[in-house]
């Protein structure tokens, strides 16, 4: 259990660190450079230490293309753009809804049945986000709202939906096509990152980075923590715990993020966060109590 706490304590740092990095560079360029370099690291590891798994079939290119587009390109551009205007705590909390989206997609596309309690858990989980959505920053209000949601909130929710869909596609590659998760992540990050870099050149332009040494320090930290330590620690924990249990434990992430956001970024944590956290936890508990009785572990990545 201690290692699970370590995993999500480290995982939670990705949100405040990304928030800091976005004060140096634009969201699309950040997506491109982080994913491209992370892809190189993962593919290098796979090539030198697990070369027997370093292969894929042309017939699977369409599956890879969907992961590149939905799991990397769309997900991280929207996520980092939204994070530019939202607090790290709210962004992390919204991303904690990913298991709900993934379960709904499994029901929709893979015909996996949900029990009555799981449907109730899904409904409670989505109702739980309402209190935290009632809070907004000055930068959020600048873009206006669609109904009661700000555009940055919608961007992050769309990123969660897109990322969760990519889990379903990844599951096909890993579980049914026997592809290495590291290879799938590495290739999708490399190609998705390259696409984001090209997009950044045409939409954001190349801009100088102020305080380069500080940027490099934070950037190295997030690559080391998120893409190397967390990725490998998650893989190690999957040998001892089910992916279902680890997903449920992911609720710890936003709690750690709230603490980091308060300490590092001086973000205020209002009662709305705690109320939403309690309601979503109840929804997760109801959902996963039935899931643990008959687990069907989805293959998920931890590209944070």
């Amino acid at each position: 259990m201690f290692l699970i706490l370590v995993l999500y304590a480290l995982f939670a740092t990705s949100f405040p660190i990304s928030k800091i990095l976005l004060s140096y560079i634009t969201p699309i360029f950040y997506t491109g450079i982080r994913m491209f370099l992370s892809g190189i690291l993962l593919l290098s590891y796979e090539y030198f230490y697990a070369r027997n798994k370093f292969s894929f079939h042309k017939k699977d290119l369409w599956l890879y293309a969907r992961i590149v587009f939905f799991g990397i390109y769309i997900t991280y551009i929207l996520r980092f753009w939204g994070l530019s205007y939202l607090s790290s705590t709210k962004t992390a909390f919204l991303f904690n809804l990913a298991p709900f989206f993934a379960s709904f997609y499994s029901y929709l596309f893979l015909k996996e049945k949900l029990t009555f309690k799981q449907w109730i858990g899904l409904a409670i989980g989505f109702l739980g986000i309402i209190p935290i959505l009632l809070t907004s920053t000055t930068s959020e209000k600048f873009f206006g709202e669609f109904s009661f949601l700000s555009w940055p909130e919608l961007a992050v929710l769309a990123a969660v939906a897109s990322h969760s869909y990519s889990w379903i596609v990844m599951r096909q590659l890993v579980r049914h096509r026997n592809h290495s998760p590291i290879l799938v992540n590495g290739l999708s990050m490399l190609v998705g990152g390259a696409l984001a870099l090209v997009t950044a050149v045409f939409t954001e332009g190349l801009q100088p980075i102020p305080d380069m040494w500080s940027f490099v320090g934070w950037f190295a930290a997030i690559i080391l923590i998120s893409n190397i330590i967390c990725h490998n620690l998650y893989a190690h924990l999957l040998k001892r715990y089910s992916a279902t249990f680890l997903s449920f434990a992911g609720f710890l992430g936003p709690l750690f993020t709230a603490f980091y956001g308060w300490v590092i970024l001086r973000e205020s944590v209002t009662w709305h966060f705690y109320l939403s956290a309690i309601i979503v936890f109840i929804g997760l508990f109801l959902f996963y109590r039935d899931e643990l009785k008959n687990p069907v572990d989805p293959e998920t990545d931890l590209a944070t």
Side-chain angles (χ1 to χ4, degrees):
M1 287 298 295
F2 174 73
L3 286 180
I4 293 178
L5 288 173
V6 171
L7 172 68
Y8 287 105
L10 291 174
F11 167 75
T13 63
S14 67
F15 292 95
I17 292 177
S18 289
K19 184 81 172 176
I20 292 171
L21 286 167
L22 287 167
S23 67
Y24 293 98
I25 57 176
T26 52
I28 302 178
F29 182 65
Y30 176 49
T31 298
I33 190 172
R34 181 178 165 187
M35 292 299 113
F36 187 78
L37 292 179
S38 298
I40 290 176
L41 288 173
L42 289 176
L43 290 177
S44 297
Y45 174 85
E46 191 80 348
Y47 182 79
F48 289 108
Y49 296 100
R51 193 173 300 185
N52 60 313
K53 299 179 181 180
F54 199 85
S55 62
F56 63 94
H57 303 291
K58 291 183 179 179
K59 64 180 180 180
D60 295 326
L61 286 177
W62 174 235
L63 294 175
Y64 275 96
R66 280 187 276 172
I67 295 176
V68 166
F69 184 74
F70 291 104
I72 301 297
Y73 184 78
I74 292 296
T75 292
Y76 286 94
I77 287 177
L78 291 178
R79 169 180 168 172
F80 292 141
W81 181 83
L83 180 59
S84 299
Y85 302 100
L86 300 175
S87 69
S88 62
T89 300
K90 180 185 282 190
T91 306
F93 185 88
L94 293 177
F95 252 80
N96 199 54
L97 297 175
F100 292 125
F101 280 96
S103 299
F104 179 72
Y105 288 144
S106 294
Y107 169 80
L108 195 64
F109 298 116
L110 303 180
K111 308 303 180 184
E112 292 181 356
K113 295 182 179 180
L114 298 177
T115 66
F116 177 73
K117 287 183 179 179
Q118 287 176 320
W119 280 114
I120 295 296
L122 284 173
I124 292 174
F126 279 105
L127 286 175
I129 71 172
I130 293 177
I132 201 168
L133 291 178
L134 295 177
T135 65
S136 59
T137 62
T138 303
S139 56
E140 280 184 73
K141 295 178 180 178
F142 175 79
F143 286 96
E145 297 179 334
F146 179 81
S147 185
F148 64 93
L149 295 171
S150 69
W151 288 108
E153 288 170 342
L154 282 171
V156 172
L157 287 173
V160 177
S162 181
H163 197 210
S164 299
Y165 171 72
S166 74
W167 289 359
I168 304 302
V169 182
M170 176 176 282
R171 180 178 176 179
Q172 291 180 266
L173 281 171
V174 173
R175 176 170 291 183
H176 304 296
R177 306 292 179 90
N178 296 317
H179 286 247
S180 163
I182 296 178
L183 177 66
V184 176
N185 273 322
L187 280 175
S188 58
M189 287 181 195
L190 182 70
V191 179
L195 289 175
L197 285 173
V198 172
T199 303
V201 170
F202 287 100
T203 60
E204 298 173 336
L206 296 177
Q207 302 175 7
I209 299 175
D211 197 357
M212 177 62 76
W213 286 112
S214 179
F215 168 80
V216 170
W218 285 111
F219 190 76
I222 200 166
I223 292 292
L224 176 64
I225 294 172
S226 294
N227 296 92
I228 296 179
I229 296 177
C230 284
H231 180 90
N232 288 290
L233 181 56
Y234 186 84
H236 170 74
L237 289 172
L238 278 175
K239 298 176 183 178
R240 299 178 55 189
Y241 305 98
S242 70
T244 299
F245 178 74
L246 290 179
S247 295
F248 183 74
F251 188 79
L252 294 168
L255 301 181
F256 280 115
T257 302
F259 175 72
Y260 298 146
W262 175 64
V263 172
I264 300 173
L265 303 175
R266 303 302 180 190
E267 294 176 348
S268 61
V269 182
T270 66
W271 63 268
H272 303 81
F273 170 79
Y274 297 108
L275 179 58
S276 286
I278 292 170
I279 296 173
V280 171
F281 178 81
I282 293 171
L284 281 168
F285 177 77
L286 289 175
F287 182 87
Y288 279 118
R289 191 167 70 169
D290 272 19
E291 183 82 1
L292 289 170
K293 292 178 183 177
N294 187 26
V296 179
D297 293 338
E299 299 288 348
T300 63
D301 66 314
L302 200 63
T304 59

